[in-house]
């Protein structure tokens, strides 16, 4: 190696904001957000904005996700980027998580399969990936200080499963350790997570980096298995790591291992930086190709949730479009994944390209939840006119930028109030309205479901308007299916009361008890017979499909092989997503009723049929118990269908295995009582929500300390002023401004200091903490 201790200590902390050694890393995951040090969050090079993960997952198309990875790699190389920070594979524990748009699904199997395709394709093109956020990062509220308390089975079967699949199948170049604490320890300092599980059990050989500002105690992080802190800590951690390495031979070996991984990553990917010097722009040919690819992905991902004969509209000559989201479409979420793109076409422009006359009414303002009487009046008048002249009406609505974004969780499950008030009035004067839905996560769709049709776009990237208009006009057949359940109510969600700032969490915001255990999403709704508005795997088509001829057999490879036929019995060509579930043996055990274990997507012309072949992986009949995954014996049912609740074919099979540990019975109910939860949660309890003077450290936030220090409260006021000045004339509701403000208030004070670029000195940080401790030491 030949490096001095000084060089090694410098190498395990980022160089500036975006470099690890000599290589340039960039935010993703649905576009390349390449930028230079010191730039504002949204000041990045122009690039393709692909559909977000929440949207792309609804395609259920691994090959297409792979093509997205290839397209991203081409643009990364053009911009000198060596590693793209993605994909994100955290589970969608609650629809209120502000960052759910960056994640694929509530199901770890589907997530792991899609993420693996993304990683393999991108890395085969010579660009590294960073699988994130490892692990248990399920909310944005207090994301740097909250402790995710997850029992062992739920941790391995739900929250680690997608990571494990991607690590073993795709071998990502890097993994990003998350902000949160996991079972009492910060993820970056969690040896059980980073060494015992990741390296020893899964045999991972790549590099582990911290999320930006997640590393506070660098020596402890290196000891646990992390390799490099990001970004540059401005020398604030240098003395600690130098002293530890100089006096501790064991730690010196750990440091050498981290440096070796950093150098190997640099050797593999540094050519991207060299090739792009002096250029930093994406060739038009690549941008044009990727724009078309973004449209294809959006087209396959849009989900038709309801259709009372409204779509397709066919050869119409005139249309009424209502809603500002039609003119200014929401194509992505706010935060670190925000992509700068110039190729956004409005829905109005897209309709006009087909020679359709568009009447338009703004209806509401995207930047507010408050109604605008003048805009409402105009929209209602035009809706009445449209009914009189038999002109189709489309309402564009859903979650706007101020409703959800990175750094904060959603405050409500409702549709924005101004849209609710307007849509109610519109339905009173015109009952022939189609609803076009935007959002990174489910919301209350009671009112949209009263429309004649409901087309859910999620956040479909820069070309979503073109893809959507094709489906509306019948030039393309919708084929997307939900990668998550859409519940009737926030209170139906299994984590309700134990997520973010909900009732039940109000006194313990930093101890997040995962009282639903393994019952996330459809595993809960299906097992406990809780009805949902739209179930997991659901999506309509303009044609119909028939299933037949199911065969189940054990192959020579000792795996279960499933085959069946799918036939298009309609009159329109289209694609069908077939879903394979394993129904577990009936018993009063803490086990889901059934679980997704396979899927396949195929295109069929009218009258055409194809045989589908799916192989179940080794986890199809296993649960995590006794420190490992074990096959549980019993009679299982293989179910093949069009959605979770639309099963077309079934077949039973006996599986030989061990008995299941009955720690709790299903009849205990979800969420678990405090007694039942702590009977399966075996980790030490923490008291992060009840810290008192004398217990604060640089791992704590200004918000945690504000009650005990006038100096802290002054810094909070200063932070708010700074954010207002930096983002003027935008309000603090703006996603970029709000993310920055929440980072200052809820980020650990060490991160706030380091990411100030040296403006806030280490001695100032220590003085702030000391003021909260009232002179006491920890």
């Amino acid at each position: 190696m030949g490096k001095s201790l000084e060089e090694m200590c410098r190498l395990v902390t980022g160089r500036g904001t975006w470099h690890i050694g000599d290589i340039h890393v960039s935010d993703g995951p649905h576009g390349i957000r390449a930028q230079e040090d010191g730039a504002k969050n949204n000041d990045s090079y122009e690039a393709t904005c692909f559909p977000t993960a929440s949207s792309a997952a609804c395609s259920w198309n691994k090959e297409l996700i792979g093509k997205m990875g290839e397209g991203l790699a081409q643009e990364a190389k053009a911009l000198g980027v060596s590693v793209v920070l993605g994909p994100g594979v955290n589970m969608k524990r609650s629809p209120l998580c502000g960052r759910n748009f960056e994640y694929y699904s509530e199901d770890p199997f589907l997530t792991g399969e899609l993420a693996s395709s993304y990683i393999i394709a991108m890395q085969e093109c010579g660009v590294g990936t960073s699988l994130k956020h490892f692990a248990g990062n399920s909310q944005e509220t207090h994301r740097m200080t909250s402790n995710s308390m997850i029992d062992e089975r739920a941790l391995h079967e739900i929250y680690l499963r997608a990571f494990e699949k991607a690590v073993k199948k795709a071998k990502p170049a890097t993994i990003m350790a998350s902000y949160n604490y996991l079972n009492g320890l910060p993820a970056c300092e969690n040896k059980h997570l980073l060494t015992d599980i990741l390296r020893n059990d899964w045999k991972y050989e790549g590099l582990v980096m911290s999320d930006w500002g997640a590393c506070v105690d660098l020596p402890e992080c290196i000891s646990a298995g992390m390799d490099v802190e990001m970004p540059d800590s401005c020398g604030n951690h240098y003395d600690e790591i130098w002293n530890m390495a100089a006096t501790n031979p064991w730690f010196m070996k750990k440091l050498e291992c981290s440096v070796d991984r950093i150098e190997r990553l640099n050797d593999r990917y540094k050519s991207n930086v060299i090739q792009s010097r002096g250029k930093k722009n994406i060739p038009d040919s690549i941008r044009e190709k990727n724009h078309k690819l973004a449209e294809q992905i959006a087209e396959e991902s849009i989900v038709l949730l309801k259709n009372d004969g409204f779509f397709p509209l066919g050869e119409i000559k005139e249309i009424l479009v209502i809603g500002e989201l039609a003119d200014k479409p929401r194509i992505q979420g706010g935060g670190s994944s925000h992509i700068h793109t110039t190729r956004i076409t409005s829905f109005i422009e897209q309709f006009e390209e087909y020679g359709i006359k568009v009447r338009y009414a703004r209806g509401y303002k995207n930047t507010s939840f408050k109604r605008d009487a003048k805009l409402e009046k105009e929209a209602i008048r035009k809706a009445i006119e449209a009914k009189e002249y038999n002109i189709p009406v489309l309402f564009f609505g859903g979650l706007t930028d101020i409703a959800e974004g990175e750094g904060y969780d959603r405050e409500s499950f409702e549709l924005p109030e101004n849209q609710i008030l307007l849509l109610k009035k519109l339905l009173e004067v015109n009952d022939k309205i189609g609803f076009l839905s935007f959002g990174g996560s489910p919301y209350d769709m009671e009112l949209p479901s009263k429309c004649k049709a409901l087309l859910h776009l999620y956040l479909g990237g820069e070309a979503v308007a073109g893809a959507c208009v094709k489906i509306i006009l019948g030039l393309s057949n919708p084929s997307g299916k939900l990668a998550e359940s859409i519940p009737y109510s926030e209170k139906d969600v299994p984590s309700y009361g134990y997520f973010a700032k909900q009732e039940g969490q109000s006194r313990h915001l930093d101890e997040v008890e995962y009282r639903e255990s393994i019952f996330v999403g459809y595993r809960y709704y299906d097992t406990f017979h809780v009805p949902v508005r739209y179930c997991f795997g659901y999506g309509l088509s303009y044609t119909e499909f028939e299933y037949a001829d199911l065969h189940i057999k054990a192959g020579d490879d000792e795996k279960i092989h499933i085959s069946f036929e799918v036939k298009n019995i309609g009159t329109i060509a289209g694609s069908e997503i077939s879903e394979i579930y394993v129904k577990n043996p009936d018993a009063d055990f803490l086990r889901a009723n059934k679980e997704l274990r396979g899927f396949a997507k195929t295109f069929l012309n009218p009258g055409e049929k194809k045989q589908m072949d799916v192989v179940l992986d080794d986890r199809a009949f296993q649960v995590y118990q006794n420190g490992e995954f074990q096959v549980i014996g019993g009679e299982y049912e293989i179910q093949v269908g069009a959605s979770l609740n639309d099963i077309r074919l079934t077949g039973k099979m006996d599986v030989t295995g061990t008995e299941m540990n009955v720690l709790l019975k299903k009849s205990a109910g979800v969420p678990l009582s405090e007694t039942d939860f702590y009977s399966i949660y075996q980790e030490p309890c923490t008291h992060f929500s009840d810290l008192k003077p004398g217990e604060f450290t640089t791992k704590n936030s200004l918000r945690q300390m504000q009650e005990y220090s006038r100096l802290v409260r002054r810094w909070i006021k200063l932070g708010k002023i700074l954010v207002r000045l930096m983002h003027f004339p935008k309000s603090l509701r703006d996603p970029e401004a709000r993310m920055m403000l929440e980072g200052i208030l809820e980020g650990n004070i060490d991160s706030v200091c380091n990411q100030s670029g040296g403006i806030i000195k280490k001695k100032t940080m220590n003085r702030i903490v000391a003021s909260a401790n009232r002179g006491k030491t920890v």
Side-chain angles (χ1 to χ4, degrees), residues 65-216:
I65 299 297
K67 289 182 179 179
M68 178 176 168
E70 292 173 2
L72 287 165
Q74 291 173 335
E75 298 197 5
K77 284 186 172 182
L79 295 174
V81 170
S82 299
V83 175
V84 174
L85 305 177
V89 297
N90 296 100
M91 290 296 98
K92 299 186 177 185
R93 180 176 178 241
S94 167
L96 297 187
C97 176
R99 208 171 181 180
N100 272 0
F101 64 87
E102 281 193 49
Y103 307 138
Y104 290 111
S105 175
E106 66 189 27
D107 182 77
F109 178 83
L110 177 59
T111 296
E113 288 291 308
L114 298 180
S116 294
S117 296
Y118 176 106
I119 293 166
I120 290 169
M122 188 179 292
Q123 294 190 169
E124 284 182 348
C125 292
V127 176
T129 59
S130 190
L131 189 65
K132 64 183 187 182
H133 306 91
F134 193 56
N137 189 175
S138 306
Q139 68 180 48
E140 294 298 281
T141 301
H142 292 200
R143 63 176 177 171
M144 285 193 179
T145 58
S146 65
N147 179 29
S148 298
M149 303 170 69
I150 311 175
D151 71 87
E152 188 176 50
R153 268 195 66 200
L155 181 64
H156 285 271
E157 292 183 22
I158 305 296
Y159 296 98
L160 294 182
R161 181 65 186 112
F163 286 101
E164 180 185 9
K165 177 178 278 289
V167 164
K168 291 181 175 179
K169 187 174 182 178
K171 297 178 174 55
T174 74
I175 287 176
M176 184 187 294
S178 55
Y179 285 128
N180 56 287
Y181 288 64
L182 177 62
N183 291 342
L185 287 173
C188 292
E189 298 178 19
N190 199 312
K191 179 179 178 294
H192 181 59
L193 179 69
L194 301 184
T195 297
D196 298 341
I197 294 174
L198 180 61
R199 297 207 185 277
N200 295 342
D201 293 349
W202 299 352
K203 310 303 180 187
Y204 180 65
E205 297 179 350
L207 176 140
V208 176
M209 69 176 75
S210 76
D211 204 339
W212 267 233
C215 172
V216 178

Side-chain angles (χ1 to χ4, degrees), residues 14-57:
R15 181 167 65 83
T17 306
W18 301 111
H19 287 80
I20 298 176
D22 292 326
I23 65 169
H24 188 183
V25 303
S26 166
D27 269 318
H30 55 270
I32 308 301
R33 195 178 71 88
Q35 59 182 169
E36 304 301 331
D37 289 346
K40 284 186 179 180
N41 190 68
N42 290 353
D43 293 341
S44 56
Y45 292 102
E46 205 270 346
T48 302
C49 180
F50 288 96
T52 64
S54 62
S55 173

Side-chain angles (χ1 to χ4, degrees), residues 663-677:
L663 299 178
L664 273 180
K665 291 190 175 182
K666 205 179 295 179
S667 53
V670 169
L672 297 171
S673 68
E674 183 174 10
T675 300
D676 286 339
F677 176 72

Side-chain angles (χ1 to χ4, degrees), residues 157-394:
E157 292 183 22
I158 305 296
Y159 296 98
L160 294 182
R161 181 65 186 112
F163 286 101
E164 180 185 9
K165 177 178 278 289
V167 164
K168 291 181 175 179
K169 187 174 182 178
K171 297 178 174 55
T174 74
I175 287 176
M176 184 187 294
S178 55
Y179 285 128
N180 56 287
Y181 288 64
L182 177 62
N183 291 342
L185 287 173
C188 292
E189 298 178 19
N190 199 312
K191 179 179 178 294
H192 181 59
L193 179 69
L194 301 184
T195 297
D196 298 341
I197 294 174
L198 180 61
R199 297 207 185 277
N200 295 342
D201 293 349
W202 299 352
K203 310 303 180 187
Y204 180 65
E205 297 179 350
L207 176 140
V208 176
M209 69 176 75
S210 76
D211 204 339
W212 267 233
C215 172
V216 178
D217 188 336
L218 184 54
E220 192 65 31
C221 293
I222 297 292
S223 298
M226 193 194 81
D227 297 307
V228 60
E229 68 165 351
M230 293 299 295
D232 191 336
S233 59
C234 305
N236 288 336
H237 298 159
Y238 180 85
D239 289 345
E240 289 90 340
I241 195 166
W242 195 95
N243 291 334
M244 179 67 78
T247 59
N248 188 322
W250 176 86
F251 181 80
M252 184 66 176
K253 290 182 179 179
K254 294 287 292 184
L255 181 62
E256 289 173 347
C257 287
S258 292
V259 169
D260 180 60
R261 293 189 189 104
I262 294 167
E263 289 185 324
R264 280 192 279 126
L265 183 73
N266 272 254
D267 289 343
R268 184 175 179 183
Y269 294 111
K270 66 183 178 183
S271 61
N272 293 357
V273 178
I274 297 171
Q275 291 172 4
S276 70
R277 282 177 182 164
K279 299 178 184 177
K280 298 281 185 176
N281 69 284
I282 301 168
D284 289 342
S285 59
I286 292 178
R287 276 294 279 120
E288 186 62 33
K289 183 180 73 171
N290 282 341
H291 182 81
K292 291 178 180 178
L293 176 59
E295 182 173 314
Q296 182 186 356
I297 297 170
E299 194 175 313
E300 288 206 27
S301 304
I302 291 171
V303 186
L304 181 60
L305 295 174
K306 179 184 177 181
N307 192 25
D308 285 351
F310 188 84
F311 290 139
L313 295 180
E315 296 181 2
I316 59 170
K317 294 182 178 180
E318 194 169 355
I319 193 169
L320 171 60
V321 169
I322 299 175
E324 190 173 15
L325 282 168
D327 184 40
K328 299 176 181 177
R330 185 165 179 243
I331 65 169
Q332 60 182 320
S336 62
S337 68
H338 190 277
I339 307 304
H340 169 53
T341 177
T342 58
R343 300 198 180 194
I344 306 172
T345 306
S346 77
F347 287 83
I348 297 169
E349 293 170 320
Q350 284 293 327
F351 280 118
E352 289 175 341
E353 283 190 14
Y354 287 96
I356 298 169
K357 181 181 178 181
V358 179
R359 300 186 181 193
Y360 172 63
R362 186 179 178 188
Y364 59 84
K365 295 179 180 178
N366 282 345
T367 55
S368 174
F369 294 140
K370 295 180 180 179
R371 62 185 295 194
D372 186 305
K374 184 178 179 181
L375 294 179
E376 283 184 6
K377 186 176 180 180
E378 178 198 20
I380 294 165
R381 176 178 60 79
K382 290 187 175 181
I384 293 172
E385 291 176 355
K387 185 175 183 180
E388 181 181 352
Y389 294 103
N390 199 29
I391 296 171
V393 180
L394 296 180

Side-chain angles (χ1 to χ4, degrees), residues 589-602:
F589 297 162
L590 195 69
R591 196 177 188 189
N593 178 49
K594 62 185 177 187
E595 299 168 275
L596 181 74
R597 298 306 193 194
F599 61 91
K601 186 170 187 175
T602 187

Side-chain angles (χ1 to χ4, degrees), residues 732-744:
L732 292 181
R733 278 194 171 275
D734 175 79
E736 187 182 3
R738 189 170 178 186
M739 183 181 76
M740 182 177 182
L741 178 60
E742 294 298 331
I744 291 172

